[in-house]
Amino acid sequence: MTKIIEVSNVSKSYGGVIANKDVSLSVKKGTITGLIGPNGSGKTTLFNSIVGYHPIDSGSIKFENNEISNLQVQEIARLGMLRTFQQTRIYGEMNCVENMLISLPHRKMSWRDRFASNTKTDYERADHLLEFVGLYEKRFLRSGSLSFGQQKLLEFAMALMNEPTVLLLDEPTAGINPTLINGLIDRLKRANTEFGITLFIIEHNMRVIMNMADTIYCLAHGEMLASGTPDEIQNNQNVVDAYLGAH
Amino acid sequence: MITQKPIFYAGLLALIIVLPFLFPTYGVQLAAMWLMIIVAMTWDMTGGQMGYNSLGNIFFYGTGMYVAALVFIGFSHDIGQYTDASGGGSFQFTDAQYFTGLFLGLIAAGFFCAVSAVVIGMLIFGLRGPYFAIGTLAVAIAAGELVSNWDWVGGGQGIALPIYPGDIDVGKKFFYFMFAGLGVSVFIFLKWLYTTRFGAAINAIRDDEEKAEAMGIHTMWYKLTTWAISAFFVGIAGGLSAFQLIHFEPLESAYQTINLGIFMVVCVLLGGKGTLWGPVIGAIVFHLFKEITWAYLLGWQWVALGGLIVVTVVYFQDGFMGWLKHQKPEWFGIRVEDSSTGKAGTAE
């Protein structure tokens, strides 16, 4: 399988704090890859580096074999790599359908398309995806009035609307009602298999990530501690120590 | 409701057409009201729909005045000689020269302002919130000072243009219908624009620009295009004002930051930011208020105006349309969750 994201020796520090040190990893096309690690281990920093939120100090980040570490957020998003936010970000004043329609893939639009109205197909796709995440009943409600969990589902649906090739999800299950988590796992898996989207997921919930991921990377203190299949990670003494504070 | 809409718009259009004939003595004020509506609607494009509060849109008004006047003069005469003599009687314009020059001037004003919006925008659209507001204000103030020291364009004296060739009353109606035509065009254009993906994209920039960027929306392109369209219309309106006023000078009439530059913002706040009708209603209410206080409360008119602004900002922060949206959300197609069933309202 081809590597769609390849991170090599990336370092990033904020002033004196080293957030990522010499981190290397790769995400294979069509898989679900997990990124775990204790709080403050540099997971979100790595995500931000990959999507171009801030420049990296050294190293290289490649997307589909092209160097992207010097590109801006929008440019990377237009290549087809999207991220969702840990603190959910939706357009709160608009209803769910409007949120979905804004998320149409602008990279595929000519400037004339930008002045066009949304087509019937756009509306159908929006409705279909809202149904997929279970928000169809709420589609005309102001999205800011939805619960936090529902907003996360909406943000996920918006990301799917954008037809990405890779989706980076920052803690998709945090703050979601435990009974809804199983449904979300199922939908993430279906996004991977049915829509063919490569997923790269930061997750704190071990049950969730062990259930979904093909490969897992574990960060601790900004450095790559371990990588492997869920089984290998679960049985890795270093990982267990890092989580229990022995490291 | 839907079937009544064409009747409503037809009635409105009829009213717009008969208004100057019903109130022939108020021709100039009615034209000024249209100017207010135009600058308020175009200000709302960036301020209300896109979340970029510009205090410098008056720059396009003033620049439109100058560009239109200079193109107009240059079409028939030498600009340097004309401004040197302050437009004194020795320069004559035939009717054909007047009208051709006027239309060329207006078109040039629109395009020049649109291009300057793109150029200035590339420099200052990196600024957000109050910094953007102050940055744009600085551009307008600086432009006023620069122009007033530029003798070729008349310096601090400004420029005097010839009066409308023909009957004075016909001239008043001519400018009324030019402003009204521009205003109606802007309204129809925006009514369409806000239903397109373009409208949705600038709303996304207003609500969460970082999210819009992360979703791959070409934010800079949208910001520049929106401001350029806005500037295009303001430039034409400024050009029209130049011909209507006959004489204008840089600081008080062209780059009048503390008058029209602020009034357009107040109009939008009064009527409701980010709505189609808000700026229109706000501009009409504001203009009536201004004319009435200027006529009957002379000496206190600025106090009354200040009072109006304070009341608006403190008690009606969302303006009239915003207030209406809260009272009657269903009129705006907004659905509120029915707490008894937990279900959303039914679809159409």
Side-chain angles (χ1 to χ4, degrees):
Chain A
M1 261 184 277
T2 50
K3 291 171 182 171
I4 194 157
I5 302 175
E6 193 162 15
V7 175
S8 325
N9 309 103
V10 165
S11 297
K12 173 72 190 172
S13 53
Y14 299 106
V17 182
I18 299 166
N20 286 149
K21 192 180 170 195
D22 223 15
V23 173
S24 298
L25 61 80
S26 59
V27 174
K28 293 197 186 86
K29 196 173 168 62
T31 61
I32 301 180
T33 305
L35 182 61
I36 62 170
N39 288 326
S41 59
K43 304 185 294 294
T44 299
T45 299
L46 185 63
F47 257 36
N48 285 337
S49 299
I50 293 173
V51 298
Y53 193 75
H54 51 217
I56 53 175
D57 299 338
S58 62
S60 136
I61 301 170
K62 283 183 176 166
F63 175 70
E64 291 178 330
N65 288 323
N66 297 311
E67 184 66 33
I68 57 164
S69 57
N70 48 4
L71 296 184
Q72 305 258 319
V73 173
Q74 304 107 299
E75 295 169 318
I76 293 173
R78 273 176 235 142
L79 294 174
M81 179 151 70
L82 277 200
R83 64 92 57 90
T84 66
F85 292 86
Q86 199 171 354
Q87 296 303 321
T88 305
R89 296 180 89 143
I90 51 165
Y91 308 109
E93 288 299 316
M94 305 177 194
N95 69 31
C96 297
V97 175
E98 289 167 330
N99 267 284
M100 294 299 287
L101 293 172
I102 286 176
S103 307
L104 280 166
H106 276 242
R107 65 180 182 279
K108 294 178 182 170
M109 288 184 196
S110 70
W111 71 269
R112 285 186 61 186
D113 290 337
R114 297 180 200 169
F115 284 103
S117 295
N118 293 305
T119 62
K120 200 161 165 275
T121 326
D122 297 337
Y123 280 96
E124 282 167 3
R125 251 172 58 75
D127 282 353
H128 173 73
L129 286 171
L130 283 170
E131 184 149 35
F132 176 73
V133 298
L135 286 174
Y136 186 74
E137 294 291 314
K138 312 237 172 213
R139 67 195 184 285
F140 292 119
L141 292 184
R142 203 175 67 86
S143 61
S145 68
L146 299 175
S147 74
F148 182 73
Q150 290 167 335
Q151 292 187 10
K152 282 213 128 156
L153 290 169
L154 176 61
E155 196 187 26
F156 176 52
M158 287 161 71
L160 295 181
M161 189 79 175
N162 205 282
E163 300 168 17
T165 34
V166 181
L167 190 52
L168 280 70
L169 299 146
D170 198 345
E171 299 198 26
T173 67
I176 289 201
N177 180 334
T179 55
L180 285 178
I181 287 185
N182 286 336
L184 183 63
I185 295 176
D186 174 54
R187 289 184 182 105
L188 287 169
K189 280 183 171 168
R190 281 174 59 195
N192 177 248
T193 51
E194 286 176 28
F195 303 125
I197 300 170
T198 306
L199 298 179
F200 188 25
I201 306 173
I202 292 181
E203 187 52 69
H204 265 302
N205 188 324
M206 286 304 143
R207 184 175 67 82
V208 171
I209 200 70
M210 295 301 165
N211 242 309
M212 284 195 303
D214 303 303
T215 312
I216 294 177
Y217 289 91
C218 178
L219 279 175
H221 301 288
E223 293 180 64
M224 192 58 75
L225 189 68
S227 67
T229 63
D231 278 342
E232 287 165 5
I233 289 289
Q234 271 171 316
N235 297 320
N236 185 312
Q237 193 54 43
N238 285 336
V239 175
V240 175
D241 288 346
Y243 268 90
L244 296 176
H247 187 69
Chain B
M1 190 76 192
I2 304 288
T3 50
Q4 288 165 358
K5 263 189 178 172
I7 302 170
F8 170 73
Y9 282 113
L12 205 60
L13 198 61
L15 182 68
I16 291 167
I17 292 168
V18 299
L19 214 52
F21 298 98
L22 286 178
F23 304 100
T25 46
Y26 291 105
V28 177
Q29 280 87 343
L30 288 172
M33 181 150 92
W34 275 109
L35 171 65
M36 207 68 95
I37 292 173
I38 294 162
V39 292
M41 282 194 295
T42 49
W43 186 87
D44 192 57
M45 288 177 71
T46 50
Q49 299 284 349
M50 202 172 71
Y52 274 80
N53 299 308
S54 156
L55 288 179
N57 275 21
I58 196 70
F59 169 83
F60 304 119
Y61 178 78
T63 305
M65 270 188 165
Y66 272 95
V67 172
L70 294 175
V71 168
F72 171 82
I73 297 164
F75 181 65
S76 307
H77 300 288
D78 180 80
I79 295 171
Q81 284 175 11
Y82 184 94
T83 50
D84 219 22
S86 298
S90 55
F91 293 92
Q92 296 298 325
F93 293 83
T94 65
D95 283 7
Q97 281 177 331
Y98 184 88
F99 288 108
T100 320
L102 184 142
F103 282 104
L104 286 178
L106 293 182
I107 291 164
F111 282 104
F112 186 89
C113 288
V115 172
S116 28
V118 172
V119 174
I120 299 168
M122 285 199 276
L123 296 173
I124 62 174
F125 264 128
L127 302 174
R128 308 256 164 112
Y131 301 100
F132 179 78
I134 297 300
T136 49
L137 180 62
V139 169
I141 293 174
E145 294 297 333
L146 280 175
V147 168
S148 59
N149 285 300
W150 188 7
D151 286 338
W152 189 68
V153 299
Q157 295 281 330
I159 297 177
L161 292 171
I163 56 165
Y164 180 84
D167 186 68
I168 270 193
D169 283 329
V170 175
K172 280 182 184 171
K173 289 197 177 60
F174 172 78
F175 285 111
Y176 172 85
F177 282 110
M178 289 294 282
F179 274 114
L182 181 62
V184 170
S185 312
V186 174
F187 183 87
I188 293 171
F189 174 77
L190 293 182
K191 191 172 161 51
W192 163 77
L193 186 71
Y194 294 157
T195 62
T196 63
R197 291 171 180 155
F198 189 99
I202 62 174
N203 288 162
I205 291 171
R206 171 191 66 196
D207 288 357
D208 190 341
E209 186 167 350
E210 222 175 279
K211 173 74 179 175
E213 283 177 1
M215 296 298 283
I217 293 178
H218 305 68
T219 50
M220 195 59 167
W221 184 88
Y222 280 103
K223 291 194 280 188
L224 292 174
T225 309
T226 307
W227 213 27
I229 296 171
S230 168
F232 177 79
F233 290 126
V234 180
I236 296 177
L240 268 176
S241 292
F243 293 103
Q244 192 199 25
L245 290 173
I246 300 164
H247 173 258
F248 63 92
E249 53 78 62
L251 298 179
E252 297 289 322
S253 40
Y255 298 97
Q256 44 169 317
T257 40
I258 58 156
N259 290 329
L260 190 61
I262 296 298
F263 292 166
M264 60 174 94
V265 186
V266 178
C267 290
V268 175
L269 293 182
L270 262 180
K273 276 172 100 172
T275 58
L276 182 65
W277 277 100
V280 180
I281 294 168
I284 294 171
V285 171
F286 177 85
H287 188 70
L288 289 176
F289 183 86
K290 180 169 156 284
E291 291 301 321
I292 290 167
T293 50
W294 254 251
Y296 298 106
L297 283 172
L298 201 62
W300 289 89
Q301 79 272 33
W302 287 105
V303 180
L305 191 60
L308 178 72
I309 295 173
V310 170
V311 169
T312 309
V313 172
V314 175
Y315 295 104
F316 299 99
Q317 287 179 355
D318 298 328
F320 175 72
M321 291 304 277
W323 171 82
L324 202 63
K325 235 180 202 177
H326 280 289
Q327 300 298 314
K328 300 274 176 198
E330 65 276 13
W331 289 5
F332 296 85
I334 298 169
R335 275 159 250 231
V336 184
E337 188 153 13
D338 182 351
S339 53
S340 58
T341 61
K343 286 260 169 78
T346 48
E348 286 160 304

